[in-house]
Amino acid sequence: MGIVGRKRGFLALLLPICFAILLGRFPMVLGLNYTEYRQVSSLRLERIKTHLDQINKPAVMTIESPDGDIIDCVHKRKQPALDHPLLKNHKIQRHPQEMPKVRMMKEDGARDEKSNEVVKGAWQMWHQNGTRCPRGTVPIRRSTMHDVLRAKSLFDFGKKQRRVSLTRGTDAPDVVSGNGHEHAIAYTGAQEVYGARATINVWDPAIQVVNEFSLSQIWILSGSFDGTDLNSIEAGWQVSPELYGDSRPRLFTYWTTDSYQATGCYNLLCAGFVQTNSRIAIGAAISPVSSFLSNQYDITILIWKDPKLGNWWMSFGDNTLVGYWPAELFTHLADHATMVEWGGEVVNTRANGEHTSTQMGSGHFANDGFGKASYFRNLEIVDADNSLSSVEYISTLAENTNCYSIKSSSNNQWGTYFYYGGPGNNPQCP
């Protein structure tokens, strides 16, 4: 080989190395990471690095999860929430002043009347090595350069797509199919609501393309659905390759006060949500997950407004307090919610000119029932007296039942519940 050939070979080896150094020590996610050979300007890289320095706070201790996540144990007073301009003088509330009054229910080992399979509680994958964050710290999933580069822009990182329009009737939920979002949900009529609870079946639905997602969540809503002042608090599980770089179901939260335009974000990717728990990492993978015609795993999420201080608290599993959205963040939700929604949502980009094959829930239709379809059970709302009561009347909606469906019912064990989901693209859903 001549000198020119050797130089070319050397350059061919050097360029990928230089690019890797430029991006920093961040792991690749094969098959889902489309930033490997994209040109990234030094100015953009510097802006991203500055942003990551703002949200990745100094860690007291670092834990590496079996799935590759890095969990930073950050002192609770150094967490991102307190960077919010409205929270500069915020004093962290250690516990809610008052828990909702809950009627006694048997949660563990619940059984569907039609099945012998036991329903079990799911937890989080990063706990599997036995390491915990020290008291006085909160676990925060570290964000990487590639996480940001998978987003459309730095502004869009950690945010839901801005809604092009919000069209709805006075008693119908916020469903917007014009920007590719499709739903299968249950919802309450317009009323004063101070929180909601549900137990949500966890699966790992297949995602067709990197910028689509599938989620199952609770929405706490108030404000104008046809304007720019919608307030929303959301929590559940989601699979989002763009946001997380993999296809694992993860615990997530979201909030907005302006119809998803500029305020709010997923998890702790912006200032807002105040975390108080050292055992739950928002954005971390949930494990184990449900299997077809086998054990079913679910998570229980409760969101309610503290009647004393007005903060919106969240608990996970067996009443484990995670943290809260401070009342200062909100306009309409500073008072109360007017609607609750439960159910699934997917993004359909029609990447190949056809309906996406991204699955919702388990990927099976509602009529398939227990062990096959995904479910929400024990739907409850919190009233003005801070009491939890079973939801007796719900409406259901799915934009295209040939793609994703929903079917509600009730019994003594599961209260009000529903099955939902679907495969997306199929002969009836072209």
Side-chain angles (χ1 to χ4, degrees):
M1 182 184 292
I3 294 175
V4 174
R6 286 197 297 272
K7 285 184 176 179
R8 285 175 178 171
F10 176 75
L11 288 173
L13 290 171
L14 183 63
L15 285 174
I17 295 172
C18 291
F19 187 70
I21 293 171
L22 188 62
L23 287 180
R25 295 180 294 106
F26 300 102
M28 290 292 200
V29 182
L30 297 177
L32 295 173
N33 192 327
Y34 56 88
T35 64
E36 289 186 62
Y37 301 107
R38 191 173 69 181
Q39 287 189 337
V40 183
S41 71
S42 59
L43 177 60
R44 187 179 182 207
L45 286 172
E46 188 59 35
R47 287 175 176 169
I48 293 173
K49 183 180 181 301
T50 299
H51 183 72
L52 289 174
D53 288 342
Q54 291 174 349
I55 62 175
N56 289 330
K57 301 299 184 181
V60 173
M61 186 175 83
T62 294
I63 300 169
E64 185 169 350
S65 173
D67 62 353
D69 279 359
I70 301 298
I71 304 297
D72 290 323
C73 303
V74 175
H75 194 283
K76 63 183 180 181
R77 291 189 180 89
K78 302 292 185 181
Q79 64 180 295
L82 302 181
D83 292 339
H84 197 288
L86 296 175
L87 302 178
K88 288 298 183 184
N89 300 313
H90 182 80
K91 183 178 179 181
I92 295 177
Q93 184 182 4
R94 294 180 61 187
H95 301 284
Q97 297 284 325
E98 187 179 329
M99 293 286 294
K101 304 174 191 70
V102 183
R103 60 187 174 85
M104 296 300 293
M105 293 185 65
K106 186 177 180 181
E107 287 294 335
D108 294 329
R111 296 174 184 266
D112 183 88
E113 292 177 347
K114 305 172 186 176
S115 173
N116 292 321
E117 296 293 341
V118 177
V119 176
K120 301 180 181 181
W123 201 239
Q124 292 196 301
M125 189 175 290
W126 71 279
H127 290 154
Q128 290 180 2
N129 61 11
T131 310
R132 299 287 186 272
C133 281
R135 186 177 295 237
T137 68
V138 294
I140 300 178
R141 180 182 182 271
R142 186 184 300 177
S143 297
T144 70
M145 185 73 73
H146 281 302
D147 290 339
V148 182
L149 288 173
R150 284 191 301 271
K152 291 181 181 178
S153 68
L154 184 57
F155 176 83
D156 291 310
F157 173 60
K159 297 182 182 295
K160 285 193 174 183
Q161 292 182 9
R162 280 165 282 174
R163 307 279 171 125
V164 177
S165 63
L166 287 166
T167 56
R168 51 165 278 143
T170 57
D171 60 349
D174 163 31
V175 287
V176 186
S177 56
N179 61 355
H181 290 245
E182 296 186 21
H183 308 77
I185 60 174
Y187 60 98
T188 64
Q191 57 181 302
E192 285 191 15
V193 184
Y194 294 84
R197 181 185 182 189
T199 298
I200 310 172
N201 197 197
V202 182
W203 292 80
D204 54 351
I207 311 298
Q208 181 177 324
V209 294
V210 72
N211 61 336
E212 295 180 342
F213 67 65
S214 180
L215 59 76
S216 298
Q217 70 170 57
I218 301 172
W219 289 259
I220 308 287
L221 301 161
S222 189
S224 303
F225 291 84
D226 57 355
T228 59
D229 64 342
L230 178 69
N231 288 202
S232 182
I233 289 173
E234 306 167 23
W237 63 263
Q238 70 176 159
V239 176
S240 176
E242 182 179 279
L243 188 59
Y244 304 106
D246 63 23
S247 295
R248 296 182 176 90
R250 294 171 176 272
L251 175 70
F252 83 95
T253 61
Y254 200 91
W255 68 275
T256 182
T257 60
D258 62 357
S259 302
Y260 306 93
Q261 293 183 102
T263 61
C265 62
Y266 281 110
N267 308 330
L268 306 182
L269 297 178
C270 67
F273 185 86
V274 177
Q275 184 154 341
T276 60
N277 190 285
S278 62
R279 296 189 300 139
I280 305 297
I282 302 172
I286 299 170
S287 179
V289 300
S290 302
S291 300
F292 185 77
L293 288 179
S294 186
N295 285 338
Q296 302 298 294
Y297 292 89
D298 54 30
I299 57 175
T300 298
I301 290 177
L302 167 64
I303 302 169
W304 83 99
K305 188 173 189 286
D306 185 340
K308 303 291 186 181
L309 297 183
N311 299 323
W312 287 87
W313 278 85
M314 172 184 165
S315 75
F316 175 78
D318 186 18
N319 292 326
T320 299
L321 297 172
V322 179
Y324 61 90
W325 294 267
E328 296 96 313
L329 298 176
F330 300 104
T331 53
H332 298 288
L333 282 176
D335 188 7
H336 61 265
T338 56
M339 179 174 286
V340 177
E341 299 170 12
W342 302 264
E345 178 181 358
V346 300
V347 171
N348 171 28
T349 62
R350 300 189 69 88
N352 300 321
E354 299 179 336
H355 192 284
T356 183
S357 59
T358 287
Q359 298 173 336
M360 180 188 292
S362 67
H364 287 262
F365 288 113
N367 282 336
D368 288 348
F370 187 82
K372 299 178 182 178
S374 191
Y375 61 79
F376 276 63
R377 63 182 174 93
N378 302 116
L379 305 188
E380 296 174 294
I381 57 173
V382 181
D383 61 23
D385 293 327
N386 200 34
S387 297
L388 272 165
S389 59
S390 180
V391 180
E392 295 186 10
Y393 303 103
I394 57 171
S395 301
T396 59
L397 184 145
E399 288 101 329
N400 189 342
T401 55
N402 290 325
C403 308
Y404 312 105
S405 63
I406 183 168
K407 180 180 181 182
S408 65
S409 188
S410 64
N411 63 31
N412 291 334
Q413 293 173 309
W414 281 22
T416 298
Y417 69 93
F418 61 85
Y419 293 106
Y420 71 103
N425 181 266
N426 66 80
Q428 283 71 47
C429 175

CSV table of all heavy atoms in Angstrom, one decimal, residues 64-82:
chain,number,residue,atom,x,y,z
A,64,GLU,N,-25.1,2.3,38.2
A,64,GLU,CA,-25.3,1.9,36.9
A,64,GLU,C,-26.3,0.8,36.9
A,64,GLU,O,-26.1,-0.3,37.5
A,64,GLU,CB,-24.0,1.4,36.3
A,64,GLU,CG,-24.1,1.0,34.8
A,64,GLU,CD,-22.8,0.7,34.1
A,64,GLU,OE1,-21.7,1.0,34.7
A,64,GLU,OE2,-22.8,0.2,33.0
A,65,SER,N,-27.4,1.0,36.1
A,65,SER,CA,-28.5,0.0,36.1
A,65,SER,C,-28.1,-1.1,35.1
A,65,SER,O,-27.3,-0.9,34.1
A,65,SER,CB,-29.8,0.8,35.6
A,65,SER,OG,-30.8,-0.2,35.3
A,66,PRO,N,-28.7,-2.3,35.3
A,66,PRO,CA,-28.4,-3.4,34.4
A,66,PRO,C,-28.8,-3.1,32.9
A,66,PRO,O,-28.3,-3.7,32.0
A,66,PRO,CB,-29.3,-4.5,34.9
A,66,PRO,CG,-29.4,-4.2,36.4
A,66,PRO,CD,-29.5,-2.7,36.4
A,67,ASP,N,-29.7,-2.1,32.7
A,67,ASP,CA,-30.1,-1.8,31.3
A,67,ASP,C,-29.2,-0.7,30.7
A,67,ASP,O,-29.5,-0.3,29.6
A,67,ASP,CB,-31.6,-1.4,31.3
A,67,ASP,CG,-31.9,-0.1,32.1
A,67,ASP,OD1,-30.9,0.3,32.8
A,67,ASP,OD2,-33.0,0.4,32.1
A,68,GLY,N,-28.2,-0.3,31.4
A,68,GLY,CA,-27.3,0.7,30.9
A,68,GLY,C,-27.6,2.1,31.4
A,68,GLY,O,-26.7,3.0,31.1
A,69,ASP,N,-28.7,2.4,32.0
A,69,ASP,CA,-29.0,3.7,32.6
A,69,ASP,C,-27.9,4.1,33.6
A,69,ASP,O,-27.5,3.2,34.4
A,69,ASP,CB,-30.4,3.8,33.2
A,69,ASP,CG,-31.5,4.0,32.2
A,69,ASP,OD1,-31.2,4.1,31.0
A,69,ASP,OD2,-32.6,4.0,32.6
A,70,ILE,N,-27.6,5.4,33.7
A,70,ILE,CA,-26.9,5.9,34.8
A,70,ILE,C,-27.8,6.7,35.7
A,70,ILE,O,-28.5,7.6,35.3
A,70,ILE,CB,-25.7,6.8,34.3
A,70,ILE,CG1,-24.8,6.0,33.4
A,70,ILE,CG2,-24.9,7.4,35.5
A,70,ILE,CD1,-24.1,4.9,34.0
A,71,ILE,N,-27.9,6.3,37.0
A,71,ILE,CA,-28.7,6.9,37.9
A,71,ILE,C,-27.8,7.8,38.9
A,71,ILE,O,-27.0,7.2,39.6
A,71,ILE,CB,-29.6,5.9,38.7
A,71,ILE,CG1,-30.4,5.0,37.8
A,71,ILE,CG2,-30.5,6.7,39.7
A,71,ILE,CD1,-31.4,5.7,37.0
A,72,ASP,N,-28.0,9.1,38.9
A,72,ASP,CA,-27.3,9.9,39.7
A,72,ASP,C,-28.1,10.2,41.0
A,72,ASP,O,-29.2,10.6,40.9
A,72,ASP,CB,-27.0,11.3,39.0
A,72,ASP,CG,-25.9,11.1,37.9
A,72,ASP,OD1,-25.0,10.3,38.1
A,72,ASP,OD2,-26.1,11.8,36.9
A,73,CYS,N,-27.5,10.0,42.2
A,73,CYS,CA,-28.1,10.3,43.4
A,73,CYS,C,-27.7,11.8,43.8
A,73,CYS,O,-26.6,12.1,44.1
A,73,CYS,CB,-27.6,9.4,44.5
A,73,CYS,SG,-27.9,7.6,44.2
A,74,VAL,N,-28.7,12.7,43.6
A,74,VAL,CA,-28.5,14.1,43.7
A,74,VAL,C,-29.1,14.6,45.0
A,74,VAL,O,-30.2,14.2,45.4
A,74,VAL,CB,-29.1,14.9,42.5
A,74,VAL,CG1,-29.0,16.4,42.7
A,74,VAL,CG2,-28.4,14.4,41.2
A,75,HIS,N,-28.4,15.5,45.7
A,75,HIS,CA,-28.9,16.1,47.0
A,75,HIS,C,-30.3,16.7,46.6
A,75,HIS,O,-30.4,17.4,45.6
A,75,HIS,CB,-28.0,17.1,47.6
A,75,HIS,CG,-28.3,17.5,49.0
A,75,HIS,ND1,-29.4,18.3,49.3
A,75,HIS,CD2,-27.8,17.1,50.2
A,75,HIS,CE1,-29.5,18.5,50.6
A,75,HIS,NE2,-28.6,17.7,51.1
A,76,LYS,N,-31.3,16.5,47.5
A,76,LYS,CA,-32.6,16.9,47.1
A,76,LYS,C,-32.7,18.4,46.9
A,76,LYS,O,-33.6,18.9,46.2
A,76,LYS,CB,-33.6,16.4,48.2
A,76,LYS,CG,-33.4,17.0,49.6
A,76,LYS,CD,-34.4,16.4,50.6
A,76,LYS,CE,-34.1,17.0,52.0
A,76,LYS,NZ,-35.1,16.4,53.0
A,77,ARG,N,-31.9,19.2,47.6
A,77,ARG,CA,-31.9,20.6,47.4
A,77,ARG,C,-31.2,21.1,46.2
A,77,ARG,O,-31.2,22.3,45.9
A,77,ARG,CB,-31.4,21.3,48.7
A,77,ARG,CG,-32.3,21.1,49.9
A,77,ARG,CD,-31.8,22.0,51.1
A,77,ARG,NE,-32.7,21.8,52.2
A,77,ARG,CZ,-32.5,20.9,53.2
A,77,ARG,NH1,-31.5,20.1,53.1
A,77,ARG,NH2,-33.3,20.8,54.2
A,78,LYS,N,-30.5,20.2,45.5
A,78,LYS,CA,-29.8,20.5,44.2
A,78,LYS,C,-30.6,20.0,43.0
A,78,LYS,O,-30.1,20.2,41.9
A,78,LYS,CB,-28.4,19.9,44.3
A,78,LYS,CG,-27.5,20.3,45.4
A,78,LYS,CD,-27.2,21.8,45.4
A,78,LYS,CE,-26.2,22.2,46.5
A,78,LYS,NZ,-25.8,23.6,46.4
A,79,GLN,N,-31.7,19.5,43.2
A,79,GLN,CA,-32.5,18.9,42.0
A,79,GLN,C,-32.9,20.0,41.1
A,79,GLN,O,-33.1,21.1,41.4
A,79,GLN,CB,-33.6,18.0,42.5
A,79,GLN,CG,-34.7,18.8,43.3
A,79,GLN,CD,-35.8,17.9,43.7
A,79,GLN,OE1,-36.5,17.3,42.9
A,79,GLN,NE2,-36.0,17.7,45.0
A,80,PRO,N,-33.2,19.6,39.8
A,80,PRO,CA,-33.5,20.6,38.7
A,80,PRO,C,-34.8,21.4,39.1
A,80,PRO,O,-34.8,22.6,38.6
A,80,PRO,CB,-33.8,19.7,37.5
A,80,PRO,CG,-33.0,18.4,37.7
A,80,PRO,CD,-33.0,18.2,39.2
A,81,ALA,N,-35.7,20.9,39.8
A,81,ALA,CA,-37.0,21.6,40.0
A,81,ALA,C,-36.8,23.0,40.6
A,81,ALA,O,-37.5,23.9,40.2
A,81,ALA,CB,-37.9,20.8,41.0
A,82,LEU,N,-35.8,23.1,41.4
A,82,LEU,CA,-35.6,24.4,42.1
A,82,LEU,C,-34.9,25.4,41.3
A,82,LEU,O,-34.7,26.6,41.7
A,82,LEU,CB,-34.8,24.1,43.4
A,82,LEU,CG,-35.5,23.1,44.4
A,82,LEU,CD1,-34.7,23.0,45.7
A,82,LEU,CD2,-36.9,23.5,44.7
